Amino acid sequence: MLFRAQEQLEEDYVQNENWDWSQYTSEKVTVEWTPGNHFTMFYEPHVKTLTAQLQTYLFSSTKFFV
């Protein structure tokens, strides 16, 4: 899972949808968009959405609990 900010900063560039994270895993890289930019996604009010997305992902993934 790759959590991406919806608002891109000027210096951000997109090579491809998963930013080549696929080279580090044999699993499919899934992109989850979250409000804010690279910095503001970690602060109120955007961090609430990111937290909910992370919780949903972690609780739905049994491989973390085996």
Side-chain angles (χ1 to χ4, degrees):
M1 178 69 63
L2 172 63
F3 294 92
R4 297 249 344 247
Q6 289 175 340
E7 301 169 21
Q8 300 300 305
L9 300 174
E10 286 184 29
E11 60 268 11
D12 284 347
Y13 63 95
V14 178
Q15 293 176 339
N16 60 39
E17 182 65 19
N18 62 28
W19 281 53
D20 280 338
W21 280 98
S22 59
Q23 67 184 333
Y24 301 108
T25 181
S26 59
E27 301 292 323
K28 182 179 184 301
V29 176
T30 305
V31 177
E32 184 75 34
W33 293 92
T34 190
N37 64 39
H38 184 75
F39 301 104
T40 63
M41 65 190 282
F42 298 107
Y43 296 98
E44 294 286 349
H46 306 309
V47 73
K48 290 180 181 181
T49 303
L50 178 59
T51 301
Q53 291 169 323
L54 283 166
Q55 286 177 333
T56 299
Y57 176 72
L58 290 174
F59 290 131
S60 68
S61 178
T62 58
K63 64 184 172 186
F64 287 108
F65 301 107
V66 174

